[in-house]
Amino acid sequence: MCGIAGYVGPRPAVEVVFDQLKRLEYRGYDSAGVAFPHEGRIGILKRAGRLSGLASLIEEQHPPEVPVAIAHSRWATHGAPTDLNAHPHYDQDGTIALIHNGIIENYLELKAELARHGHTFQSETDSEVAAHVIGEAHKSGLSLFEAVRTSLPKFKGAFAFVVVSTIEPDRIVCARNASPLVVGLGEGENMLASDVPALIPYTRQVWSMPEETVAELTRETVRAVDKNNRNVPIETMTIDWDVESAEKGGYPHFMLKEIHEQPDVARSCLAGRLSEDNRVSLEGVFSDHVWQEIDRVNIIACGTAYHAGLMGKHLFERMLRLPTDVFYSSEFRYGDPLLSDRSLAIFISQSGETADSLAALRLCKARRIRTLGIVNVVGSAIARECDKVIYTQAGPEISVASTKAYTAQCLVLMLLGLWIAQQREMPGVRVTEAVHELRAWPDLAQEALTREDAIKELAVRWKDVPLVFFLGRNADAAVALEAALKLKEIAYIPTQEGPAGEMKHGPLALIEPGVLSVFGGTDSDVRDKVASNIREVQARGGHALVVTTDDDTEIHQFGDGVIRVPGGKVPFLTALMSVVPLQLLAYHMAVARGCDVDQPRNLAKSVTVE
């Protein structure tokens, strides 16, 4: 969600943390600020709006070159996006400054207690309350590290705190509970951020802080303890992304860059997982006998990852005859789910830090259910806490609207399905044929991308439609949900989505002249049914855009517009191919409407609060 940055070392710290914030703009924010200890006080500069406003303020104020600074880009939860509500926040008398990601659920109770002892507050935020609590502990004589550590039990909710002090101006103390923090280690300098791209220009050695950990950064050292004050080892990993991979690389938006990266992402995802004898080879999954015991799969995810889970349900039930349920993470935890000790819970998440999914994961762990993570970020919370994990190998995804992560998640689900088929020795599953199709998928996706100009023309043609339906059958119905999400996320056009056959059970009432319906027609087995649904829409004055395969000779003739994709013999993979032009359609409709594609309103990249 919000962006966090911190630096201690020989470089101009304010410049460094501001640069880090710029590299975190994709996370979504509505205000930003910096804090820096200097000559017995803490300077704070903050402003609502874009980072350009903060940049102007820094230029006007000319802050001193200091060795320690922290910075924050806020996405409003408590209080409007104003200068006063922006982070950082002081404690009662300016001894400390604090930045915070997450939500403190009991802040009103804490605020009332502090007010009874004479505290006054400048903002409407829960975060300022945390600054006052920690500040009181620090002024009582505790070190900054101990003040933070001993204050943590007072807070309920999700948080990542980063704190600096006038008493100990040479260090940064941070704490993590549910909201991610990553520490970067350098030579004579150390730093932290809420996500890895902010650290790449400065170091490749990073440590992802575990849950319920407090850490202290000085120029030369990083130390950490857990909630029981036991030392936590600093286990670093080397980041092999280059800076360019986290920047736009000549594309006007991160989203477009990431759409075009999908062929390479698919190659990375499949690399080493398809053997020469046309079998699937997966490391890090359960041993063979476990797959004989599992009788049900529960896929748990949010947003785009949930839609990938729907593709997994279609695949597992159709190919493996394995009953599969897909849950919204936010509903799973509170729905008292029926869980069997023979079931498998699969958690899908790009960031691996999604708060709702983590809560659901811990529920499954408490009930001793086997858990498998499908995540992109190595060392993330879901990756650490699941029994087993498969990494999607998608690389850094910067755009708020996920594209390549979805593709990689679906490909991993296909690999997993084929792996299970091999372990169960299911002769009806043609693994060899599917592996051939998987090998060809990246090149076919590259070919699909060459048709962007034609898709752009369709996007401009229909950019002002008042409503768009996304419809399909079988796997196309699952892809329809993801395609609709992309359009509403970045172009702000209302959508209705689901199985095409359900139109006549109510949604057809919304069809009127000017409404567009996008039909997935990649599955040749049900094209005649989809054609009937197209005619139903057109009979009521609606427009139909048909997505079909190159070899189709039937359904394309019914559309007011047609998008073709390379086809194949595995319907799941052909349906997945159709998401590529549908992502492009959403992108170009958003651009044609003048929308901010990489930072859509009201949204953030990693949702780390419930």
Side-chain angles (χ1 to χ4, degrees):
M1 191 167 286
C2 315
I4 278 179
Y7 176 81
V8 51
R11 308 181 202 235
V14 172
E15 291 182 19
V16 172
V17 295
F18 184 79
D19 177 68
Q20 289 178 310
L21 283 191
K22 288 195 294 184
R23 298 175 189 280
L24 296 172
E25 278 195 281
Y26 65 90
R27 296 175 72 89
Y29 69 98
D30 47 45
S31 60
V34 299
F36 47 92
H38 180 63
E39 297 182 347
R41 60 181 292 272
I42 297 175
I44 288 182
L45 301 174
K46 56 185 182 177
R47 181 161 286 179
R50 295 297 189 191
L51 280 179
S52 57
L54 178 60
S56 298
L57 184 61
I58 291 172
E59 186 175 347
E60 292 168 10
Q61 298 294 322
H62 298 294
E65 287 197 4
V66 292
V68 175
I70 60 176
H72 187 267
S73 52
R74 175 180 184 249
W75 187 70
T77 56
H78 293 68
T82 64
D83 290 353
L84 282 176
N85 288 333
H87 297 211
H89 291 288
Y90 289 119
D91 67 334
Q92 176 67 11
D93 56 8
T95 301
I96 72 165
L98 171 146
I99 57 179
H100 163 226
N101 280 0
I103 291 176
I104 300 170
E105 296 173 356
N106 63 329
Y107 85 102
L108 287 174
E109 174 187 333
L110 294 170
K111 188 173 185 178
E113 177 67 19
L114 289 163
R116 284 193 290 271
H117 290 83
H119 285 244
T120 58
F121 299 89
Q122 306 302 313
S123 76
E124 304 168 87
T125 67
D126 55 340
S127 307
E128 187 184 6
V129 175
H132 282 237
V133 171
I134 294 170
E136 284 298 291
H138 189 33
K139 285 178 288 186
S140 73
L142 293 178
S143 69
L144 183 61
F145 185 85
E146 283 300 303
V148 172
R149 186 185 69 81
T150 58
S151 296
L152 295 185
K154 298 178 181 179
F155 304 117
K156 296 179 182 178
F159 51 78
F161 294 137
V162 179
V163 189
V164 291
S165 161
T166 60
I167 301 172
E168 301 175 45
D170 62 342
R171 65 199 60 218
I172 298 171
V173 175
C174 55
R176 184 240 165 121
N177 177 43
S179 291
L181 278 177
V182 183
V183 174
L185 293 91
E187 294 291 332
E189 61 181 357
N190 290 300
M191 63 214 73
L192 60 87
S194 49
D195 208 352
V196 171
L199 305 177
I200 291 175
Y202 306 100
T203 183
R204 299 306 178 89
Q205 298 301 310
V206 304
W207 172 57
S208 182
M209 285 181 62
E211 287 287 305
E212 299 182 316
T213 300
V214 182
E216 179 184 73
L217 284 66
T218 68
R219 284 192 181 201
E220 301 295 340
T221 64
V222 175
R223 70 178 178 112
V225 300
D226 64 15
K227 64 179 180 181
N228 297 314
N229 204 24
R230 296 174 299 201
N231 289 332
V232 174
I234 311 300
E235 299 176 344
T236 64
M237 57 184 175
T238 302
I239 299 299
D240 58 5
W241 309 340
D242 55 23
V243 175
E244 184 179 350
S245 69
E247 296 178 348
K248 293 178 184 176
Y251 289 91
H253 297 95
F254 283 116
M255 183 180 180
L256 186 61
K257 173 178 178 279
E258 289 161 7
I259 291 171
H260 279 266
E261 285 177 342
Q262 287 176 112
D264 286 337
V265 165
R267 293 183 185 100
S268 296
C269 178
L270 300 173
R273 293 169 172 173
L274 303 177
S275 66
E276 293 183 2
D277 61 350
N278 294 317
R279 305 271 289 176
V280 171
S281 176
L282 277 183
E283 295 182 359
V285 292
F286 295 101
S287 54
D288 299 357
H289 72 89
V290 172
W291 301 108
Q292 307 295 335
E293 297 173 6
I294 290 171
D295 62 3
R296 178 171 290 275
V297 173
N298 297 312
I299 299 176
I300 301 149
C302 305
T304 285
Y306 173 84
H307 296 156
L310 293 175
M311 289 287 279
K313 172 181 172 67
H314 172 81
L315 179 72
F316 291 169
E317 292 188 341
R318 187 163 183 169
M319 181 172 74
L320 304 174
R321 315 308 296 169
L322 181 60
T324 303
D325 294 314
V326 187
F327 295 91
Y328 290 109
S329 303
S330 56
E331 290 295 304
F332 182 85
R333 180 185 183 188
Y334 300 106
D336 194 19
L338 299 174
L339 299 173
S340 158
D341 58 6
R342 296 188 65 190
S343 64
L344 169 67
I346 298 177
F347 292 86
I348 307 176
S349 171
Q350 191 283 136
S351 68
E353 302 286 352
T354 309
D356 288 314
S357 296
L358 271 169
L361 167 58
R362 289 162 186 163
L363 173 62
C364 288
K365 298 285 285 184
R367 297 195 186 181
R368 300 184 181 277
I369 303 300
R370 294 185 182 96
T371 58
L372 172 67
I374 296 177
V375 301
N376 189 34
V377 179
V378 176
S380 58
I382 291 175
R384 292 196 308 270
E385 296 188 27
C386 278
D387 297 326
K388 303 290 182 180
V389 61
I390 305 174
Y391 290 107
T392 56
Q393 313 284 8
E397 186 177 67
I398 307 301
S399 175
V400 169
S402 178
T403 53
K404 63 179 183 175
Y406 172 82
T407 301
Q409 289 160 358
C410 291
L411 290 173
V412 165
L413 287 165
M414 182 70 177
L415 290 169
L416 180 60
L418 294 171
W419 172 262
I420 297 171
Q422 289 172 181
Q423 306 316 305
R424 292 190 167 195
E425 299 181 349
M426 301 178 69
V429 180
R430 290 177 282 189
V431 174
T432 297
E433 179 181 279
V435 168
H436 278 302
E437 297 254 336
L438 279 169
R439 290 189 197 279
W441 201 94
D443 290 338
L444 295 179
Q446 192 71 59
E447 184 180 340
L449 287 166
T450 65
R451 306 171 189 188
E452 183 174 359
D453 288 345
I455 295 166
K456 183 177 180 180
E457 290 179 8
L458 293 170
V460 172
R461 173 181 172 187
W462 279 311
K463 68 181 178 67
D464 293 321
V465 294
L467 173 67
V468 181
F469 279 85
F470 286 88
L471 305 163
R473 291 173 181 263
N474 292 334
D476 282 328
V479 170
L481 271 68
E482 175 59 14
L485 179 61
K486 294 286 90 71
L487 188 68
K488 69 181 74 174
E489 278 183 310
I490 62 171
Y492 317 141
I493 298 175
T495 67
Q496 288 273 309
E497 54 275 352
E502 286 299 299
M503 282 292 285
K504 55 186 172 290
H505 297 290
L508 201 59
L510 295 177
I511 296 294
E512 59 184 356
V515 170
L516 174 65
S517 296
V518 180
F519 286 90
T522 68
D523 191 337
S524 60
D525 290 341
V526 290
R527 277 187 183 138
D528 57 334
K529 302 296 183 184
V530 176
S532 297
N533 300 132
I534 294 172
R535 286 193 288 266
E536 290 172 350
V537 165
Q538 291 172 329
R540 290 155 179 83
H543 301 296
L545 173 59
V546 179
V547 183
T548 187
T549 55
D550 286 337
D551 60 359
D552 167 47
T553 59
E554 307 165 15
I555 198 172
H556 74 279
Q557 61 188 308
F558 299 107
D560 301 299
V562 178
I563 296 173
R564 290 186 180 271
V565 297
K569 296 179 180 179
V570 180
F572 176 92
L573 292 175
T574 305
L576 179 59
M577 184 67 64
S578 72
V579 83
V580 175
L582 291 172
Q583 292 166 346
L584 287 170
L585 181 70
Y587 171 81
H588 284 294
M589 289 180 80
V591 170
R593 290 166 62 87
C595 300
D596 189 344
V597 172
D598 283 334
Q599 296 178 42
R601 66 190 185 201
N602 305 331
L603 301 177
K605 181 63 179 172
S606 179
V607 183
T608 55
V609 296
E610 291 187 72

